[in-house]
PDB file of all heavy atoms in Angstrom:
ATOM      1  N   GLY A 458      73.729 108.484  44.246  1.00 83.00           N
ATOM      2  CA  GLY A 458      73.868 108.949  42.871  1.00 83.00           C
ATOM      3  C   GLY A 458      74.640 110.243  42.709  1.00 83.00           C
ATOM      4  O   GLY A 458      74.460 110.946  41.706  1.00 83.00           O
ATOM      5  N   GLY A 459      75.466 110.565  43.695  1.00 75.00           N
ATOM      6  CA  GLY A 459      76.318 111.744  43.593  1.00 75.00           C
ATOM      7  C   GLY A 459      75.844 112.839  44.531  1.00 75.00           C
ATOM      8  O   GLY A 459      74.832 112.726  45.236  1.00 75.00           O
ATOM      9  N   GLY A 460      76.608 113.941  44.511  1.00 79.00           N
ATOM     10  CA  GLY A 460      76.273 115.094  45.354  1.00 79.00           C
ATOM     11  C   GLY A 460      77.011 115.165  46.671  1.00 79.00           C
ATOM     12  O   GLY A 460      77.231 116.227  47.189  1.00 79.00           O
ATOM     13  N   LEU A 461      77.377 113.979  47.218  1.00 87.00           N
ATOM     14  CA  LEU A 461      78.100 114.014  48.490  1.00 87.00           C
ATOM     15  C   LEU A 461      79.597 114.164  48.337  1.00 87.00           C
ATOM     16  O   LEU A 461      80.282 114.523  49.266  1.00 87.00           O
ATOM     17  CB  LEU A 461      77.762 112.685  49.302  1.00 87.00           C
ATOM     18  CG  LEU A 461      76.322 112.466  49.635  1.00 87.00           C
ATOM     19  CD1 LEU A 461      76.177 111.150  50.375  1.00 87.00           C
ATOM     20  CD2 LEU A 461      75.749 113.593  50.424  1.00 87.00           C
ATOM     21  N   LEU A 462      80.093 113.814  47.126  1.00 93.00           N
ATOM     22  CA  LEU A 462      81.509 113.947  46.790  1.00 93.00           C
ATOM     23  C   LEU A 462      81.664 114.773  45.518  1.00 93.00           C
ATOM     24  O   LEU A 462      80.761 114.708  44.633  1.00 93.00           O
ATOM     25  CB  LEU A 462      82.165 112.573  46.576  1.00 93.00           C
ATOM     26  CG  LEU A 462      82.235 111.642  47.771  1.00 93.00           C
ATOM     27  CD1 LEU A 462      82.876 110.295  47.356  1.00 93.00           C
ATOM     28  CD2 LEU A 462      83.054 112.250  48.911  1.00 93.00           C
ATOM     29  N   PRO A 463      82.753 115.468  45.364  1.00 94.00           N
ATOM     30  CA  PRO A 463      82.975 116.164  44.084  1.00 94.00           C
ATOM     31  C   PRO A 463      83.232 115.127  43.015  1.00 94.00           C
ATOM     32  O   PRO A 463      83.603 113.974  43.291  1.00 94.00           O
ATOM     33  CB  PRO A 463      84.238 117.013  44.357  1.00 94.00           C
ATOM     34  CG  PRO A 463      84.911 116.362  45.530  1.00 94.00           C
ATOM     35  CD  PRO A 463      83.812 115.755  46.355  1.00 94.00           C
ATOM     36  N   PRO A 464      83.012 115.465  41.764  1.00 94.00           N
ATOM     37  CA  PRO A 464      83.181 114.477  40.657  1.00 94.00           C
ATOM     38  C   PRO A 464      84.599 113.917  40.623  1.00 94.00           C
ATOM     39  O   PRO A 464      85.586 114.621  40.910  1.00 94.00           O
ATOM     40  CB  PRO A 464      82.869 115.303  39.412  1.00 94.00           C
ATOM     41  CG  PRO A 464      82.065 116.470  39.885  1.00 94.00           C
ATOM     42  CD  PRO A 464      82.570 116.736  41.235  1.00 94.00           C
ATOM     43  N   PHE A 465      84.721 112.616  40.356  1.00 95.00           N
ATOM     44  CA  PHE A 465      86.055 111.984  40.201  1.00 95.00           C
ATOM     45  C   PHE A 465      85.914 110.813  39.239  1.00 95.00           C
ATOM     46  O   PHE A 465      84.835 110.222  39.083  1.00 95.00           O
ATOM     47  CB  PHE A 465      86.563 111.498  41.562  1.00 95.00           C
ATOM     48  CG  PHE A 465      85.753 110.381  42.205  1.00 95.00           C
ATOM     49  CD1 PHE A 465      86.135 109.055  42.087  1.00 95.00           C
ATOM     50  CD2 PHE A 465      84.631 110.708  42.949  1.00 95.00           C
ATOM     51  CE1 PHE A 465      85.395 108.079  42.657  1.00 95.00           C
ATOM     52  CE2 PHE A 465      83.857 109.689  43.559  1.00 95.00           C
ATOM     53  CZ  PHE A 465      84.248 108.371  43.380  1.00 95.00           C
ATOM     54  N   ARG A 466      87.072 110.500  38.619  1.00 96.00           N
ATOM     55  CA  ARG A 466      87.059 109.344  37.673  1.00 96.00           C
ATOM     56  C   ARG A 466      88.150 108.319  38.023  1.00 96.00           C
ATOM     57  O   ARG A 466      88.212 107.279  37.360  1.00 96.00           O
ATOM     58  CB  ARG A 466      87.326 109.889  36.245  1.00 96.00           C
ATOM     59  CG  ARG A 466      86.230 110.867  35.753  1.00 96.00           C
ATOM     60  CD  ARG A 466      86.405 111.133  34.258  1.00 96.00           C
ATOM     61  NE  ARG A 466      87.663 111.798  33.967  1.00 96.00           N
ATOM     62  CZ  ARG A 466      88.146 111.983  32.759  1.00 96.00           C
ATOM     63  NH1 ARG A 466      87.462 111.520  31.694  1.00 96.00           N
ATOM     64  NH2 ARG A 466      89.291 112.650  32.540  1.00 96.00           N
ATOM     65  N   TYR A 467      88.902 108.617  39.057  1.00 97.00           N
ATOM     66  CA  TYR A 467      89.985 107.696  39.430  1.00 97.00           C
ATOM     67  C   TYR A 467      89.879 107.434  40.929  1.00 97.00           C
ATOM     68  O   TYR A 467      89.670 108.336  41.733  1.00 97.00           O
ATOM     69  CB  TYR A 467      91.360 108.273  39.063  1.00 97.00           C
ATOM     70  CG  TYR A 467      91.498 108.432  37.569  1.00 97.00           C
ATOM     71  CD1 TYR A 467      91.080 109.643  36.960  1.00 97.00           C
ATOM     72  CD2 TYR A 467      91.960 107.395  36.770  1.00 97.00           C
ATOM     73  CE1 TYR A 467      91.186 109.778  35.584  1.00 97.00           C
ATOM     74  CE2 TYR A 467      92.042 107.548  35.392  1.00 97.00           C
ATOM     75  CZ  TYR A 467      91.638 108.743  34.839  1.00 97.00           C
ATOM     76  OH  TYR A 467      91.741 108.848  33.436  1.00 97.00           O
ATOM     77  N   LEU A 468      90.085 106.146  41.307  1.00 98.00           N
ATOM     78  CA  LEU A 468      89.781 105.732  42.689  1.00 98.00           C
ATOM     79  C   LEU A 468      90.824 104.734  43.157  1.00 98.00           C
ATOM     80  O   LEU A 468      91.206 103.794  42.381  1.00 98.00           O
ATOM     81  CB  LEU A 468      88.387 105.072  42.747  1.00 98.00           C
ATOM     82  CG  LEU A 468      87.967 104.428  44.026  1.00 98.00           C
ATOM     83  CD1 LEU A 468      87.789 105.445  45.160  1.00 98.00           C
ATOM     84  CD2 LEU A 468      86.661 103.625  43.816  1.00 98.00           C
ATOM     85  N   VAL A 469      91.266 104.903  44.400  1.00 98.00           N
ATOM     86  CA  VAL A 469      92.041 103.866  45.095  1.00 98.00           C
ATOM     87  C   VAL A 469      91.266 103.439  46.350  1.00 98.00           C
ATOM     88  O   VAL A 469      90.904 104.323  47.170  1.00 98.00           O
ATOM     89  CB  VAL A 469      93.429 104.408  45.553  1.00 98.00           C
ATOM     90  CG1 VAL A 469      94.183 103.335  46.327  1.00 98.00           C
ATOM     91  CG2 VAL A 469      94.271 104.802  44.302  1.00 98.00           C
TER      92      VAL A 469
END
Side-chain angles (χ1 to χ4, degrees):
L461 300 180
L462 295 177
F465 66 97
R466 297 191 298 169
Y467 297 90
L468 172 68
V469 175

